[in-house]
Amino acid sequence: MNKNKLIDLIPSILIVVTVFVLWEILVNIQNIPNWLLPPPSEIFKSLYLDFSKLFDHTLVTLQEILIGFIVALIFGFVIASAIGLSNTVEKSLYPFLISLQTIPIIVIAPMLLVWVGYGLLPKIIVVALISFFPIVVNTADGMKSLDTDMKKLLLTMGASNWQIFRKIMIPSSLPYLFSGVRIAVSLSVIGAVIGEWVGSSEGLGYLMIRSKPQFLTELVFASIFILSTIGIGLFLLVGILERLIIPWSRFENSKD
Amino acid sequence: MSITAEIEIEKVNKNMIYQGETLEVLRDIDLSIEKQEIVSIIGPSGCGKSTLLNLIAGLDNPDFGSIHFQGFSQEDRLGSVSYMQQKDLLFPWRTVLENISLSLEIKGISKKDSTEICRKYLSEFQLEKFEKNLPHTLSGGMRQRVAFLRTLLTDSEILLLDEPFGALDALTRRNLYVWFMNLLENNPRTVILVTHDVEEAIFLSDRIFLLSPRPGQIQLIEEVSFKRPRTYEIISDPNFVNLKSRLLNQLSESRDE
């Protein structure tokens, strides 16, 4: 099982290595200056030399991502539950949710600075806003798609609406919740960077925006590299959590 | 009106609205079922068998007529009978033990007590090895056994079974008939079984009601005289064969009408 998983990884590792090698060769052949496009070797060198600086900024960004994401998860779950329980709530909230999603975050982010001030809070709000939508829509879908026969079964056992919610709606919405979360984690990384771009003094987004005019392009790329690593890491973490929390779901889906 | 009957169904009518049209699904259904009797309801598909079970379970109400259980008013039916459907409806996120303890949990019985009760039943029916299994690891027959136990553990006097053997292959089905007979022998209940399998109906029940095509009306009532518990040999008994052909003839006649 484990051995197979390692073998599964080989193609993607090969692709990454090939891209890096071609990139390195092309930059050298074409004599492209570092400030325009640094070769991978320079990026890795910068990762090594500027490690402590990058590390501090990474911690800031990671903190924004995680707090914002958890806020989105809590709000998303609560609102999805309300939608699942009541058709009235569904009808009145959905237009609002969709319009929330269509507001360009890049416009809202500077406004947030004015409204709530500088610091951690506006970044958390941007991350939460951007990752909230896929969580709420997916989880609400899961709550709505409950098996009516299961509900009938619980009703004949004399269950209350609250018991039906807890014993059927929540568990059957979890696989949907997880697919929403998987989309949301990668968005939350973007959210943190946008939040930092519009105004901050720390974080990887800030580092990128400060390094670019100084022609420290390898530092920009090093930041991108770290951000992608965070994105991949969170994505994998969600997969692991999913397998631990709802081990039954993979088998249910493949059965129908 | 007899008072000894466990279930008394009188002049029940039910209409349903389907694509804007009113359909008469059940007409003048009269049933009187004794305590611990096993009755089968058979009939062509679409004759309202499942509608009738929904009415008895209290998930829906008749347009006319009444349904009474001993000791319950018509309004309190929901939650006082246990209802098993063709799909096993095991909750995929719950282990076998957690699935069968569902009704005890709903009633608010403590986890410790309900686990103890469920373990007793699991070992009585040789399922204790599977206590911690999730449903997807079980075969169809096993899942249905677990579903039967869950139904039984609702602890109501009346069991409504809607084609519980329908999704199983012939061999598993036969094994399960015998297993189910044994289950009821040790835990007697009043059972209403809906099926479209004539052999299954004869093998399992004391009385058989045949419903006509829509609107469903009771067309024929047959007594089955074999003593319980029965063994599978009775299917070659002349009485069994006669009864089976009588029922099959009636079924095919009503289909041709």
Side-chain angles (χ1 to χ4, degrees):
Chain A
M1 183 87 186
N2 241 334
K3 206 174 168 189
N4 277 333
K5 268 189 194 141
L6 285 178
I7 293 172
D8 285 347
L9 279 178
I10 289 176
S12 58
I13 292 172
L14 272 180
I15 289 174
V16 172
V17 170
T18 315
V19 169
F20 278 176
V21 168
L22 285 177
W23 179 355
E24 185 80 36
I25 294 170
L26 275 174
V27 168
N28 278 310
I29 291 177
Q30 300 286 324
N31 249 332
I32 298 171
N34 273 355
W35 59 266
L36 197 59
L37 179 67
S41 59
E42 284 299 317
I43 296 169
F44 288 117
K45 208 167 98 191
S46 153
L47 276 171
Y48 176 73
L49 292 176
D50 300 317
F51 178 78
S52 70
K53 187 200 281 177
L54 282 164
F55 186 78
D56 292 344
H57 287 290
T58 302
L59 281 187
V60 173
T61 305
L62 202 54
Q63 187 190 11
E64 292 161 2
I65 292 172
L66 291 179
I67 298 176
F69 178 76
I70 287 166
V71 169
L73 188 62
I74 293 168
F75 273 89
F77 187 77
V78 169
I79 290 173
S81 301
I83 290 173
L85 286 170
S86 145
N87 285 325
T88 321
V89 173
E90 181 184 13
K91 283 191 193 108
S92 46
L93 267 189
Y94 246 105
F96 177 71
L97 288 176
I98 291 165
S99 62
L100 197 70
Q101 179 65 9
T102 53
I103 298 170
I105 291 289
I106 204 90
V107 177
I108 284 294
M111 299 303 294
L112 283 171
L113 284 188
V114 183
W115 295 334
V116 302
Y118 213 64
L120 194 60
L121 190 60
K123 285 91 183 175
I124 289 172
I125 295 175
V126 173
V127 172
L129 274 178
I130 211 169
S131 45
F132 167 76
F133 191 73
I135 295 178
V136 92
V137 171
N138 272 290
T139 312
D141 264 359
M143 300 240 174
K144 286 278 164 195
S145 68
L146 92 168
D147 188 328
T148 49
D149 287 332
M150 279 189 181
K151 188 175 164 186
K152 247 168 129 179
L153 177 75
L154 278 204
L155 282 175
T156 60
M157 289 179 177
S160 64
N161 279 337
W162 174 242
Q163 283 173 321
I164 288 170
F165 174 68
R166 268 194 28 225
K167 294 187 196 305
I168 313 178
M169 288 177 85
I170 291 187
S172 57
S173 74
L174 286 180
Y176 293 81
L177 173 91
F178 269 102
S179 56
V181 161
R182 234 177 291 142
I183 301 168
V185 282
S186 29
L187 289 175
S188 66
V189 176
I190 298 175
V193 173
I194 293 176
E196 288 171 6
W197 271 354
V198 293
S200 66
S201 54
E202 47 187 357
L204 290 171
Y206 160 77
L207 188 66
M208 285 159 84
I209 225 160
R210 200 197 56 184
S211 308
K212 210 178 70 174
Q214 296 175 339
F215 299 106
L216 295 169
T217 314
E218 63 275 12
L219 210 51
V220 175
F221 274 86
S223 305
I224 292 174
F225 182 85
I226 294 172
L227 287 169
S228 328
T229 311
I230 291 175
I232 293 169
L234 289 174
F235 194 87
L236 293 177
L237 184 68
V238 172
I240 291 167
L241 286 177
E242 183 173 1
R243 238 166 287 156
L244 287 176
I245 295 172
I246 47 169
W248 45 269
S249 100
R250 281 172 293 160
F251 305 100
E252 276 312 298
N253 293 340
S254 58
K255 220 182 55 190
D256 291 331
Chain B
M1 184 169 81
S2 91
I3 339 168
T4 51
E6 176 83 1
I7 306 171
E8 195 77 53
I9 298 171
E10 279 182 293
K11 297 254 168 301
V12 159
N13 275 53
K14 181 71 187 171
N15 297 327
M16 301 272 239
I17 292 169
Y18 181 69
Q19 293 182 343
E21 269 181 80
T22 307
L23 294 180
E24 190 181 9
V25 182
L26 295 171
R27 181 188 288 173
D28 290 338
I29 302 287
D30 277 313
L31 288 176
S32 167
I33 297 160
E34 305 294 320
K35 199 170 170 60
Q36 298 183 2
E37 192 180 11
I38 304 178
V39 303
S40 288
I41 298 171
I42 56 177
S45 41
C47 71
K49 293 174 289 195
S50 297
T51 308
L52 184 58
L53 282 198
N54 279 341
L55 293 177
I56 299 173
L59 289 164
D60 204 349
N61 282 312
D63 295 329
F64 299 102
S66 66
I67 298 171
H68 282 283
F69 305 150
Q70 214 165 38
F72 287 100
S73 73
Q74 174 155 356
E75 288 72 32
D76 291 342
R77 297 200 306 282
L78 188 62
S80 62
V81 286
S82 85
Y83 190 178
M84 177 173 169
Q85 298 166 65
Q86 179 175 357
K87 286 191 284 175
D88 57 59
L89 293 178
L90 296 180
F91 290 13
W93 50 86
R94 285 172 168 253
T95 63
V96 166
L97 184 86
E98 288 164 347
N99 262 294
I100 67 168
S101 67
L102 199 57
S103 70
L104 303 172
E105 225 177 284
I106 301 277
K107 287 202 192 84
I109 292 172
S110 78
K111 191 163 178 156
K112 197 173 140 266
D113 291 349
S114 77
T115 307
E116 199 177 307
I117 296 167
C118 293
R119 286 228 171 96
K120 204 190 96 210
Y121 276 88
L122 284 172
S123 68
E124 188 180 340
F125 296 99
Q126 287 88 47
L127 290 166
E128 72 271 29
K129 285 196 298 271
F130 304 102
E131 179 186 314
K132 294 198 173 66
N133 281 49
L134 286 173
H136 69 82
T137 62
L138 303 177
S139 67
M142 275 298 175
R143 291 175 67 116
Q144 211 62 7
R145 276 169 220 241
V146 175
F148 271 118
L149 274 193
R150 182 188 55 197
T151 312
L152 199 68
L153 272 156
T154 52
D155 209 27
S156 36
E157 269 309 306
I158 300 162
L159 307 187
L160 307 178
L161 309 174
D162 192 358
E163 301 196 23
F165 305 99
L168 304 170
D169 63 87
L171 195 65
T172 313
R173 212 188 262 208
R174 276 184 196 193
N175 287 333
L176 220 53
Y177 291 159
V178 177
W179 184 86
F180 178 61
M181 277 260 147
N182 179 30
L183 183 86
L184 283 180
E185 215 46 50
N186 298 323
N187 307 275
R189 295 286 196 279
T190 307
V191 178
I192 301 179
L193 169 74
V194 159
T195 177
H196 56 251
D197 186 322
V198 172
E199 215 172 89
E200 176 178 309
I202 304 172
F203 185 73
L204 292 174
S205 37
D206 302 317
R207 266 194 305 164
I208 298 170
F209 297 90
L210 191 104
L211 285 190
S212 64
R214 202 173 48 229
Q217 283 173 289
I218 293 176
Q219 215 172 18
L220 188 69
I221 305 175
E222 290 280 358
E223 300 260 348
V224 186
S225 51
F226 297 103
K227 274 215 157 49
R228 283 197 267 151
R230 298 165 185 164
T231 54
Y232 215 73
E233 280 111 58
I234 62 165
I235 62 157
S236 43
D237 189 292
N239 286 332
F240 192 105
V241 179
N242 282 338
L243 182 53
K244 185 177 163 185
S245 63
R246 245 192 341 266
L247 287 165
L248 284 174
N249 282 339
Q250 187 66 47
L251 266 176
S252 56
E253 256 174 50
S254 60
R255 197 169 299 159
D256 296 337
E257 272 168 20

